[in-house]
Amino acid sequence: VDADRVGTALRVRTRRPGDRLKPLGAPGRKKVQDVFVDRKVPRDERDAVPIVTDASGEIVWVAGHALAEPFGLIRLTTTVVTLSLRRV
């Protein structure tokens, strides 16, 4: 993600009712619930998927499933933050 656009602090949490983001390359905003349905994430696994947010609480990444458009790399990006998910 673009470090300048994401800010100085990232937080990790679980999903909350009504969570929304604008997925990279998709038109409009989408509910996190719909991202899970589209990606066929089993219901019993959805609460275990980490949600990464910026300091203001805006969703940056639904770990392993969707990156939010506002934080994607652009031509003017000079510094990046690499986010990764490791399953054990």
Side-chain angles (χ1 to χ4, degrees):
V1 296
D2 187 315
D4 293 330
R5 294 163 76 190
V6 80
T8 58
L10 292 173
R11 292 179 171 74
V12 179
R13 63 171 174 83
T14 58
R15 69 182 176 144
R16 295 180 184 157
D19 273 345
R20 293 179 172 269
L21 75 153
K22 182 180 185 326
L24 188 64
R29 295 178 64 79
K30 192 173 208 174
K31 290 181 184 177
V32 170
Q33 172 66 28
D34 293 339
V35 170
F36 289 147
V37 170
D38 293 348
R39 298 290 305 252
K40 296 180 174 56
V41 177
R43 287 180 190 203
D44 61 337
E45 294 177 16
R46 295 175 187 173
D47 287 332
V49 175
I51 305 288
V52 179
T53 68
D54 66 4
S56 70
E58 187 170 354
I59 294 176
V60 174
W61 187 42
V62 178
H65 299 285
L67 178 65
E69 178 86 32
F71 303 100
L73 303 181
I74 59 172
R75 215 173 167 166
L76 301 174
T77 299
T78 57
T79 309
V80 299
V81 174
T82 301
L83 302 176
S84 64
L85 174 65
R86 184 173 50 158
R87 297 171 197 241
V88 290

